[in-house]
Amino acid sequence: MKSIVYLCRNLTLGKLIRLENGKYYIQNQETADLVAKFGSPLYVYDGNKIEEQIERMRKAFSGVDIKLKYACKALTNLSIMKLMLKNGVDVDVVSIEEVKIALHVGFKPNQIQYTPSGVAFSEIEEALELGIRLNVDSLDLLEKVGQKYGNAHPIAIRLNPSIMAGGNLKISTGHADSKFGIPIEYIDEIIAIVTAYDLKVVGLHQHNGSDFKDSFVIVQAMKKSMQVAEKYFPNLEFIDMGSGFKVSYHADDHVTDIEELAEDVVKEFNAFCKRYGRDIQLWFEPGKYLVSESGTMFTTCNVTKHNPRRNFVHVDSGLNHLIRPMMYDAYQDIVNTSNTDESDTENYDIVGYICETDTFGSDRILPKVSQGDILAIKNAGAYCFSMSSNYNSRVRPAEVLVYNGKTYLIRERETMADILRNQPEIDF
Ligand SMILES: *Cc1c(COP(=O)(O)O)cnc(C)c1O
């Protein structure tokens, strides 16, 4: 059984960018043609893969009143967000700029959940006055919202359950040393402020990090919110469990099995609703789960170079365009789309063109790479373009969406004018 599941996963992994008669395709588009048309490096997203992920989550959680809020910081391209809106997915935002992007895309204010971390109160005021929904992240903010607005705006409270989860300390947010959320130990202080200002608390929120692997962690965390709900908050509309679902970056990765996780969660949540006296909504805020696998970054080999110990492939990109390997020690699968001859391989380090160590992958066995070959970096949908920069004064790549067999340019490649923009010419 395990091996069947494993095999299916590998099939889905291979499905996105697939090899047919020696050529790579995304849907019906030959990837070499996309790069020829839109230039290198290039981000390409498969919109139907995103819809597949949405449906898979909805189906898995169909036993409860589930609501999805796309954590758009993973990939904020307007067209990707529009696709979410079209599919009935709401949005989770973390800055006033993301609030404005979501409004620009066409989300209604009450479809936008704002989960700020230590932002200026002026941003909170601006968001609340636009009708945006707020997850309150500190006692200080709870007090300020109470003082200024009383019960005029429905709010949710972000709890920190003191649980260690997440693939890496940089992306773990629910542990005792984390800056995020209000520690559950402060429940008396929370209740005191809520009572003093008659705050309208409609939800309890948690988001405990990215890349957690085991479903028991989320069930354990959810139980903490449910206990708080039963004891203190009889009028909730939802419990929001954030996100952090791990997707497959590596064929051997232990990923979140969403169906298995959902089975446990649905059982616990329905039992809770019974005790609570009515059915409320269960929210998730998936970012990575919805968009990671949909994305591929294509980059071209500029130079191959040897030293006595390593074979380097230098590509026309770097940590300025895709920082996850350097930032999180993340593994990104890489294929040589220009040479599919598996009988003639070498061990490579795929590195960028930035004047800083910017390794995309070490010790990768690939069919021989020559200058001009196009490499594909898989799973480049989440936290890749959205974390890109102009470091080394490089322009950012274009983004393309393939959806229902059609190709859309959804962001133009930057130009030198973008690099020079906003810098006045000073006459010394
Ligand atoms: C980043 C973030 C998410 C999404 O996390 P993923 O690991 O991408 O699914 C969800 N909720 C909040 C509040 C976040 O900050």
Side-chain angles (χ1 to χ4, degrees), residues 352-425:
Y353 61 4
I354 290 295
C355 287
E356 174 141 355
T357 302
D358 60 346
T359 307
F360 285 121
S362 309
D363 288 320
R364 303 300 176 90
I365 312 289
L366 296 181
K368 212 169 163 77
V369 181
S370 319
Q371 191 186 324
D373 281 3
I374 299 166
L375 306 191
I377 304 183
K378 293 199 207 174
N379 275 61
Y383 308 107
C384 290
F385 189 93
S386 70
M387 293 180 83
S388 66
S389 75
N390 293 118
Y391 188 43
N392 279 205
S393 299
R394 292 290 188 176
V395 298
R396 274 178 278 214
E399 293 178 289
V400 165
L401 175 68
V402 184
Y403 184 51
N404 292 336
K406 280 205 198 108
T407 303
Y408 304 88
L409 177 64
I410 59 171
R411 186 191 300 266
E412 288 180 31
R413 178 177 312 283
E414 286 179 337
T415 64
M416 205 48 213
D418 295 307
I419 301 291
L420 298 176
R421 193 189 309 283
N422 298 333
Q423 300 180 73
E425 304 282 346

Side-chain angles (χ1 to χ4, degrees), residues 200-352:
K200 189 172 180 215
V201 179
V202 295
L204 293 178
H205 171 273
Q206 287 187 39
H207 170 64
N208 300 322
S210 250
D211 272 7
F212 65 74
K213 300 175 185 137
D214 300 305
S215 64
F216 82 89
V217 176
I218 194 159
V219 172
Q220 199 189 350
M222 191 174 74
K223 279 183 176 164
K224 295 203 174 196
S225 280
M226 295 187 307
Q227 281 160 6
V228 171
E230 281 178 70
K231 196 156 172 204
Y232 301 101
F233 295 104
N235 300 315
L236 294 185
E237 291 165 15
F238 63 88
I239 283 186
D240 180 350
M241 286 309 300
S243 178
F245 307 117
K246 186 169 166 64
V247 299
S248 184
Y249 284 95
H250 193 283
D252 296 333
D253 267 356
H254 173 163
V255 299
T256 309
D257 184 329
I258 207 86
E259 287 79 15
E260 191 184 295
L261 166 76
E263 210 174 296
D264 295 346
V265 168
V266 165
K267 205 171 79 209
E268 289 291 340
F269 194 73
N270 281 332
F272 157 76
C273 287
K274 269 220 176 77
R275 295 194 301 273
Y276 197 63
R278 66 200 161 81
D279 288 338
I280 64 173
Q281 290 185 335
L282 177 61
W283 291 13
F284 285 106
E285 302 163 349
K288 187 177 280 181
Y289 186 80
L290 296 188
V291 297
S292 174
E293 287 169 88
S294 81
T296 311
M297 192 182 86
F298 294 93
T299 176
T300 306
C301 170
N302 281 339
V303 181
T304 54
K305 177 177 172 182
H306 307 271
N307 74 20
R309 294 159 57 92
R310 323 282 315 172
N311 278 328
F312 296 103
V313 171
H314 275 276
V315 294
D316 62 352
S317 183
L319 58 75
N320 52 328
H321 296 153
L322 198 159
I323 202 172
R324 294 185 71 259
M326 293 311 295
M327 178 107 165
Y328 304 122
D329 295 325
Y331 180 93
Q332 304 267 167
D333 199 16
I334 302 172
V335 296
N336 182 358
T337 68
S338 302
N339 179 7
T340 57
D341 181 4
E342 296 285 347
S343 65
D344 188 16
T345 58
E346 267 187 65
N347 186 344
Y348 292 109
D349 283 5
I350 318 300
V351 297

Side-chain angles (χ1 to χ4, degrees), residues 57-64 66 258 261-262 265-266 282 284:
M57 251 193 115
R58 286 206 174 118
K59 191 157 167 245
F61 289 98
S62 58
V64 295
I66 174 104
I258 207 86
L261 166 76
V265 168
V266 165
L282 177 61
F284 285 106

